[in-house]
Amino acid sequence: MRRRVNEGRRKKRFSCIYISLAVGLLGLGFLVFMIHQQNPDSGSSLRKLEDHLEDSTMSSRLNFTEEMLSINSFTRQLGDQMVLAKAYVVIAKENNNLQLAWELSAQIRACQLLLSRAANRGTPVTIQEAEPIMKEFSSLIFQARDLHYDSVTMIMKSKAQIQALEERANAAVVQSTTFGQLAAEAVPKSLYCLAMLLTLDWATHADLRDRITQNQQSPKLTNNSFYHFVVFSDNIIGTSVAVNSTVQNAHHPEQIVFHIVTDSVNYGGMQIWFGQNQFNGAAIEVQNIDSFFWLNASYVPVLKQLQDSDTQNYYFKTSGQDAKRTFKFRNPKYLSILNHLRFYIPEVYPELEKVVFLDDDVVVQKDLTELFVVDLHGNVNGAVETCLESFHRYHKYLNFSHPKIHSDFDPQACGWAFGMNVFDLVAWKKANVTSKYHYWQEQNVDRTLWKLGTLPPGLLTFYGLTEPLDRRWHILGLGYDPSVDSELINSGAVVHFNGNLKPWLKLAISRYRPLWEKYVDYSHPYLQQCNIH
């Protein structure tokens, strides 16, 4: 019984202790609450104290900028060795020493890991940490130098590599120029197919040939109350787009007359194509340049020069020294009499008074008949100037070190574009323009005034006789510049695919192709048969 009494007393004593502890905790909580109510900023003061302690800790951490600038810093020494090791890794790989390259790369990774750990903990690299890596770096770098990977060797090898790369780059440029020029000059198989099918029809269907010939004897051809356009080309599909886009955008296509001149190879195909297809009532005449018997070497300086052996060697003889220049100059269009026929328009069409000349790589987007009422102020040639940039001025096309050029022409005179030109043939005859062209061609027999093409002699021939047209009449660059402004293209009356990237070639700029394809009738059976798309 005594034990049970003691146990009861012990239970009472523990209950008193628990009650006293609970009362004390409640009192302490009440005291803290009262203090907080009397001083509400005490919590923020505590946070400020914690922030101050944290800032003090951060300020005592490692400053890596100062560490890398310190002469005695192990971090800096490791960084320098790592940079040198990276250079030797490249050299070792080039010399097929893969074992050395692997060992250097392993030490570089170990060094990077050590520097990363030091940055994370905020303390400098110690000598105990750096010494093993630095010793290994030193051993490997010494090994690399012992293999003659020294600075002189590195410099010599770098020079040799740079020279080799320059030679490869020059060879690639020449190759690219060559292939690009060949691609631009070559007639695609599909277009050759079309020309052959049309020529076959011309040769085998005498009744069709007679009917087309009679239809082309229209009185419109010499009537100056109509709007006359001329195209000189051996490209059937290109000429078709130029004609089709012109008549489709004309307000009165029945008042339009097209005069086309081609060579004997494409004459029959041109006749069939434009004789069988309808072009909204426009009259179309096709002539063979070989029928112009006055175009001979005794009258035309270009034909005379082409008979000269020196000229033939210059333009057609390939040599390694000037291969790039030769391929550029061997483009047939520069030497083709079809290209130079533009300087004989009054002799080809003696009854006409004003014409609009178009290249076969243009697309017409607006009515061009308004050009016939543009006032040329007595000038012969109406053209869009191209001197928005300095490289389209006269000094970029002509040799101004020659006294004949230097004395008579302004090097800063503005160039202009062939491809869409208004020619006043009455003023042409009055100014005797063709004789001026002959004079300058004869002066350039040794190719010292300009190299090749029709634009340089055109700039000389029409100097002081050219009326600037609004730029929107003729938008250039679609055959070489992929970044012509879209708004400028949309506002242009004529867009010109001048350059090597013609719209009928696979290498054409895809962004501009729809402008040209819009005027190609792909449903034509011959186009489908020749896979023209």
Side-chain angles (χ1 to χ4, degrees):
M1 296 296 292
R2 186 177 296 173
R3 183 178 298 175
R4 292 179 180 175
V5 173
N6 292 337
E7 288 177 357
R9 291 177 180 176
R10 196 173 296 164
K11 289 180 181 179
K12 290 180 180 179
R13 188 181 304 146
F14 282 123
S15 299
C16 292
I17 292 172
Y18 291 147
I19 293 171
S20 300
L21 182 61
V23 172
L25 290 175
L26 289 173
L28 180 61
F30 179 75
L31 179 62
V32 171
F33 175 76
M34 294 300 293
I35 293 173
H36 180 72
Q37 291 295 323
Q38 294 177 1
N39 187 11
D41 295 333
S42 59
S44 61
S45 299
L46 182 59
R47 285 193 297 272
K48 289 180 180 178
L49 178 59
E50 292 175 352
D51 294 340
H52 176 71
L53 292 175
E54 185 177 354
D55 293 340
S56 299
T57 304
M58 290 297 292
S59 63
S60 64
R61 288 184 178 179
L62 177 65
N63 187 326
F64 258 83
T65 303
E66 295 179 357
E67 184 73 6
M68 291 300 295
L69 295 176
S70 174
I71 298 175
N72 300 320
S73 167
F74 293 111
T75 302
R76 174 177 178 172
Q77 295 178 46
L78 287 170
D80 292 342
Q81 283 187 313
M82 187 166 56
V83 171
L84 186 58
K86 287 180 178 179
Y88 280 123
V89 167
V90 176
I91 298 173
K93 287 182 179 179
E94 290 178 351
N95 288 272
N96 204 30
N97 193 340
L98 301 182
Q99 179 63 28
L100 178 59
W102 183 85
E103 292 176 358
L104 286 167
S105 299
Q107 289 304 310
I108 290 171
R109 288 192 295 271
C111 181
Q112 291 173 336
L113 181 59
L114 175 58
L115 295 177
S116 176
R117 289 174 179 172
N120 288 333
R121 73 184 182 220
T123 59
V125 176
T126 65
I127 186 171
Q128 292 81 8
E129 296 172 320
E131 186 175 8
I133 297 177
M134 292 174 65
K135 284 184 177 181
E136 189 63 28
F137 265 144
S138 299
S139 175
L140 292 172
I141 291 172
F142 177 81
Q143 182 181 349
R145 288 177 177 173
D146 192 49
L147 293 171
H148 305 291
Y149 300 160
D150 52 27
S151 300
V152 176
T153 305
M154 291 171 60
I155 293 172
M156 295 300 295
K157 287 187 176 181
S158 297
K159 285 185 176 180
Q161 289 175 349
I162 291 172
Q163 185 176 0
L165 288 173
E166 287 179 349
E167 291 176 356
R168 290 174 60 186
N170 292 334
V173 169
V174 173
Q175 190 178 53
S176 175
T177 302
T178 301
F179 291 160
Q181 196 67 47
L182 290 174
E185 294 174 12
V187 178
K189 182 174 66 175
S190 56
L191 298 189
Y192 179 79
C193 168
L194 175 63
M196 290 302 99
L197 290 177
L198 294 172
T199 302
L200 183 62
D201 284 348
W202 176 260
T204 56
H205 296 84
D207 54 341
L208 179 62
R209 185 168 59 247
D210 293 339
R211 187 173 72 252
I212 292 175
T213 303
Q214 292 177 0
N215 291 339
Q216 291 191 353
Q217 298 175 354
S218 170
K220 293 181 179 180
L221 301 180
T222 57
N223 190 335
N224 284 293
S225 63
F226 291 88
Y227 305 110
H228 295 268
F229 295 82
V230 297
V231 180
F232 305 142
S233 173
D234 57 359
N235 187 318
I236 295 175
I237 199 72
T239 304
S240 176
V241 169
V243 173
N244 198 25
S245 61
T246 301
V247 298
Q248 284 195 28
N249 289 286
H251 298 319
H252 301 285
E254 69 282 357
Q255 297 181 6
I256 287 179
V257 180
F258 262 94
H259 304 269
I260 301 171
V261 178
T262 188
D263 56 20
S264 57
V265 175
N266 294 279
Y267 174 70
M270 285 276 193
Q271 287 277 31
I272 290 291
W273 182 262
F274 289 102
Q276 286 188 323
N277 291 295
Q278 300 297 320
F279 292 92
N280 294 354
I284 300 176
E285 173 194 31
V286 179
Q287 291 181 275
N288 188 347
I289 194 172
D290 291 340
S291 66
F292 304 148
F293 298 108
W294 47 270
L295 279 176
N296 51 61
S298 62
Y299 179 63
V300 180
V302 170
L303 293 177
K304 182 179 180 181
Q305 292 169 12
L306 286 176
Q307 295 178 352
D308 182 69
S309 59
D310 292 338
T311 302
Q312 292 176 0
N313 291 335
Y314 178 78
Y315 288 132
F316 299 109
K317 185 177 180 180
T318 305
S319 62
Q321 183 178 2
D322 56 357
K324 182 178 178 180
R325 181 209 68 187
T326 302
F327 273 104
K328 177 181 178 180
F329 290 159
R330 289 180 67 183
N331 191 331
K333 73 174 186 178
Y334 292 130
L335 300 174
S336 170
I337 191 60
L338 273 176
N339 201 37
H340 288 265
L341 191 62
R342 66 191 67 192
F343 294 102
Y344 300 95
I345 293 177
E347 296 175 77
V348 178
Y349 309 108
E351 297 90 355
L352 300 183
E353 297 177 352
K354 182 176 284 189
V355 299
V356 171
F357 170 80
L358 296 176
D359 272 341
D360 61 5
D361 55 353
V362 304
V363 175
V364 178
Q365 301 185 125
K366 297 184 179 179
D367 185 12
L368 295 187
T369 59
E370 297 178 12
L371 285 170
F372 289 85
V373 296
V374 171
D375 189 359
L376 299 182
H377 299 96
N379 288 308
V380 177
N381 173 30
V384 171
E385 292 183 332
T386 57
C387 59
L388 297 178
E389 299 86 10
S390 61
F391 55 84
H392 285 303
R393 297 187 183 274
Y394 267 50
H395 66 87
K396 291 298 182 180
Y397 299 99
L398 304 168
N399 178 20
F400 272 85
S401 62
H402 196 287
K404 289 185 179 294
I405 301 296
H406 180 74
S407 60
D408 295 334
F409 300 94
D410 178 9
Q412 295 300 322
C414 194
W416 43 267
F418 265 137
M420 196 291 298
N421 304 80
V422 185
F423 289 124
D424 186 335
L425 302 185
V426 176
W428 183 307
K429 296 174 185 177
K430 185 177 179 180
N432 207 6
V433 170
T434 303
S435 296
K436 295 183 182 205
Y437 164 72
H438 284 174
Y439 170 79
W440 288 114
Q441 283 288 357
E442 291 167 353
Q443 295 301 310
N444 194 46
V445 65
D446 54 358
R447 299 169 299 279
T448 56
L449 304 186
W450 70 89
K451 294 300 181 184
L452 198 63
T454 55
L455 182 56
L459 295 176
L460 299 175
T461 301
F462 294 102
Y463 185 73
L465 299 173
T466 300
E467 179 70 18
L469 300 178
D470 189 296
R471 188 187 180 195
R472 290 171 294 182
W473 280 114
H474 191 185
I475 309 301
L476 296 152
L478 277 69
Y480 67 89
D481 184 2
S483 58
V484 180
D485 182 41
S486 298
E487 292 185 3
L488 189 63
I489 293 175
N490 294 333
S491 66
V494 174
V495 292
H496 195 171
F497 288 81
N498 57 310
N500 285 337
L501 309 181
K502 301 301 184 185
W504 52 81
L505 299 176
K506 290 184 178 179
L507 47 79
I509 300 174
S510 58
R511 175 190 168 200
Y512 307 134
R513 269 192 77 97
L515 299 172
W516 186 82
E517 291 178 330
K518 178 181 178 181
Y519 299 100
V520 180
D521 181 13
Y522 290 108
S523 64
H524 193 284
Y526 280 1
L527 267 64
Q528 293 184 351
Q529 185 175 343
C530 293
N531 197 26
I532 296 178
H533 54 78

